[in-house]
Amino acid sequence: MTQPPEASPPRQGISPLAVVLVEPAGPLNVGSVARLCANFDVQELRLVAPRCDPLGEEARRMAVHGVAHLERARVFPHLAAALADCHRVVATSGRGEGEPLPLLGAIPALTWLADGPADKLVALVFGREDRGLSNDELLQAGCLLQLDTATPYRSLNLSHAVALALQAWRGLGGTPAAGQPSREPCRRGELEDLLSDAEALLLAVGFLYPHTARARMAKLRALLQRATPSSEDTALLRGMVRQLRWASQQGAIPPAGKGGPDP
């Protein structure tokens, strides 16, 4: 079997970009996005649990010269796996209210995405055609991007949204905004591992109850997102969490209801 061509190296001075589509249902959209990846020199196309055949005839027909991006697109079972090696993540949303993180326009959101070492992979995430991204998925991003429209009706076709975002990314050129200090976040996988260990500890000591754990962990996730922890930060926090869990298992931490916080 002929191997698909290797991904092209990123342009000088701009971070390598992965476009991530979550559960895309339309093969025409997937093919169109693959073509856009070729148009805008995107290094990777990633698909999360696609609900269509990304290598089928319809997708290939729409991809045109972007077929190579379809053939080397990586498929992941869930969003966390698709983002595990990414250092910065921007997710798109068109809801306009009830978001778990503040909404930014294209320029500030993409400026933040570009504001880091040029060799670190970053990701731009797009949701389902029919219902976008869930709050849990949005919380896996460092910030949220909302594309500007002329009316309150903000719902865009998936491939159209990708085109607008990539045009803004290309125009930005990956150049960090002057005067903004760069703080390089940890990889998404490191943060997810920390949160998983923290949830296990907090359940074990009674700070969390199973029926409220999801909502409380969402608040903790949002707090950590705002802090933009580095790899060193997450390693320190994870070490503390693991030591505390070990101590709780040895009886060195009082059980729930005997000195611990009220859940």
Side-chain angles (χ1 to χ4, degrees):
M1 179 182 296
T2 302
Q3 294 297 319
E6 294 297 323
S8 59
R11 301 192 313 274
Q12 186 174 3
I14 189 169
S15 299
L17 177 68
V19 168
V20 182
L21 306 183
V22 176
E23 296 186 10
L28 299 179
N29 271 330
V30 174
S32 296
V33 172
R35 182 174 185 171
L36 289 166
C37 288
N39 291 148
F40 290 98
D41 197 23
V42 172
Q43 280 64 55
E44 287 196 49
L45 173 61
R46 298 183 174 188
L47 308 175
V48 176
R51 295 181 287 172
C52 65
D53 180 5
L55 294 176
E57 180 182 351
E58 290 182 309
R60 288 178 178 273
R61 185 170 67 248
M62 291 300 294
V64 192
H65 295 296
V67 167
H69 283 78
L70 283 180
E71 293 176 341
R72 64 170 176 258
R74 298 171 62 189
V75 177
F76 296 85
H78 49 77
L79 182 57
L83 300 178
D85 60 340
C86 298
H87 287 255
R88 295 190 178 216
V89 178
V90 167
T92 57
S93 177
R95 290 187 298 190
E97 58 183 23
E99 302 292 23
L101 294 172
L103 286 168
L104 300 178
I107 297 305
L110 295 176
T111 295
W112 176 83
L113 190 65
D115 187 17
D119 61 339
K120 302 297 186 183
L121 183 67
V122 299
L124 190 52
V125 182
F126 297 85
R128 304 160 186 84
E129 291 98 328
D130 54 351
R131 54 191 173 90
L133 296 166
S134 68
N135 277 0
D136 287 345
E137 290 164 339
L138 290 171
L139 278 169
Q140 295 183 50
C143 65
L144 306 183
L145 181 158
Q146 185 171 70
L147 293 166
D148 189 28
T149 57
T151 72
Y153 178 56
R154 297 186 177 276
S155 179
L156 292 167
N157 172 271
L158 174 59
S159 63
H160 294 173
V162 175
L164 290 173
L166 290 182
Q167 176 61 46
W169 173 256
R170 177 78 181 191
L172 189 65
T175 303
Q180 289 190 354
S182 176
R183 174 178 170 81
E184 188 56 30
C186 62
R187 296 192 307 274
R188 290 300 317 176
E190 294 172 319
L191 185 58
E192 293 301 320
D193 289 341
L194 167 61
L195 288 166
S196 178
D197 285 348
E199 183 173 6
L201 168 67
L202 297 174
L203 284 167
V205 300
F207 185 86
L208 294 181
Y209 288 154
H211 66 283
T212 59
R214 183 174 180 177
R216 287 209 159 198
M217 288 305 297
K219 292 180 180 180
L220 178 58
R221 182 189 295 274
L223 184 154
L224 288 172
Q225 294 279 34
R226 292 194 297 271
T228 319
S230 66
S231 292
E232 291 76 13
D233 296 335
T234 53
L236 173 63
L237 290 171
R238 195 177 183 197
M240 292 168 58
V241 165
R242 286 184 162 187
Q243 184 66 22
L244 287 169
R245 190 176 185 195
W246 175 86
S248 73
Q249 292 169 343
Q250 305 305 308
I253 293 179
K258 297 183 179 180
D262 181 3

